[in-house]
Amino acid sequence: MNSFNFNRFGQTLRWVLATNFRKLLAWTIGAALMVFMGEMFIVGLNGMNDHPNPVQMLWDFADIGSALMTLVVVIMVCSVVSSINDKRKRETFLMLQS
């Protein structure tokens, strides 16, 4: 832990975001659309009349949306890290770490 450097971490994070910007953007847009469609699907199944209180309905949608977005973020991070399997990207990534 003595060799951890915040400046180097920031540079590495900036490099990962710049390298995978389009993939991250596509995942973010896709996740937002899928959460929206999932919530509309739930409204279509249950209808608006099943919730006696509109505030409770919003809390339910927020819970579902948060769970789905958490799942998508975990998958997105895994897909970014798995792209380091390419030898050229791995060498570039390791050069940043030294």
Side-chain angles (χ1 to χ4, degrees), residues 25-80:
L25 184 64
W27 270 98
T28 304
I29 292 171
L33 289 175
M34 291 306 292
V35 167
F36 176 74
M37 289 173 47
E39 290 178 353
M40 292 300 109
F41 180 72
I42 291 171
V43 168
L45 287 179
N46 294 334
M48 297 290 277
N49 297 330
D50 288 347
H51 292 84
N53 186 357
V55 175
Q56 183 62 39
M57 182 181 69
L58 289 175
W59 278 105
D60 291 344
F61 284 165
D63 290 341
I64 293 167
S66 298
L68 290 175
M69 287 301 272
T70 302
L71 179 67
V72 168
V73 166
V74 168
I75 293 170
M76 185 170 47
V77 168
C78 290
S79 73
V80 168

Side-chain angles (χ1 to χ4, degrees), residues 7-18:
N7 291 331
R8 184 176 58 199
F9 176 75
Q11 290 173 347
T12 305
L13 181 63
R14 188 176 65 209
W15 174 78
V16 168
L17 291 176

